[in-house]
Amino acid sequence: MDHLTYNIPGLLFPAISLLMLGFTNRFFGLASLSRQLLAEYETSKSEVLAKQIHNLRFRISLILYSQSAGILSLILCTCSLGMIPFYNLVAWIFFSISLLFMVVSLILALIEIHLSVNALDIERESILDPTTKIKS
């Protein structure tokens, strides 16, 4: 195994920072939409809104887990940098685990994106065919 240098884990910092910024922006957008839909649901008690609110809640939890995995990735990457001068094998292990958490974070974000398309389908179906009942 090659010697781990500061450059290799250092490349992860900008990527993780950009991911965290994107996740935070998505979270704020979904939280705002959730509040808006909850206010509408109080007056209409629409089944379509209930389905969308349920979908939003799950998507928000996926973003929470994505952010958590991203933060763990950043912490482990930092630990990897700290271990380089002392014990290179441990630095490689920390770096490898940080990459794993970054992949987990990206997979969760991908699932959330797919769910956002489902939410758009619910909205589209309710507008194009208002007589159709949404199945739970």
Side-chain angles (χ1 to χ4, degrees):
M1 186 178 301
D2 289 340
H3 186 73
L4 185 65
T5 64
Y6 289 105
N7 293 337
I8 296 170
L11 291 173
L12 228 59
F13 280 94
I16 295 171
S17 299
L18 287 174
L19 280 175
M20 296 307 296
L21 181 63
F23 293 155
T24 302
N25 287 339
R26 272 190 92 71
F27 173 79
F28 285 137
L30 290 177
S32 174
L33 180 58
S34 182
R35 287 185 188 101
Q36 177 186 349
L37 290 179
L38 283 169
E40 287 179 35
Y41 181 77
E42 282 182 336
T43 59
S44 71
K45 302 294 185 202
S46 166
E47 185 179 337
V48 172
L49 285 178
K51 185 82 171 170
Q52 287 178 331
I53 291 167
H54 178 71
N55 181 290
L56 277 175
R57 177 62 190 123
F58 185 65
R59 288 171 55 202
I60 288 171
S61 68
L62 282 175
I63 290 175
L64 167 73
Y65 295 132
S66 295
Q67 286 178 319
S68 299
I71 289 168
L72 285 173
S73 177
L74 185 60
I75 289 169
L76 289 167
C77 193
T78 304
C79 291
S80 172
L81 284 170
M83 288 304 295
I84 288 173
F86 303 111
Y87 196 58
N88 205 260
L89 178 62
V90 174
W92 270 111
I93 291 169
F94 280 143
F95 180 66
S96 299
I97 297 171
S98 78
L99 287 176
L100 176 70
F101 276 109
M102 181 182 241
V103 168
V104 167
S105 178
L106 290 171
I107 289 170
L108 290 170
L110 181 65
I111 293 168
E112 193 277 324
I113 290 168
H114 282 276
L115 287 174
S116 71
V117 171
N118 290 344
L120 290 173
D121 287 342
I122 291 170
E123 182 69 23
R124 181 185 48 82
E125 287 173 9
S126 71
I127 291 172
L128 294 178
D129 190 8
T131 60
T132 302
K133 295 289 182 188
I134 302 295
K135 297 175 193 151
S136 297

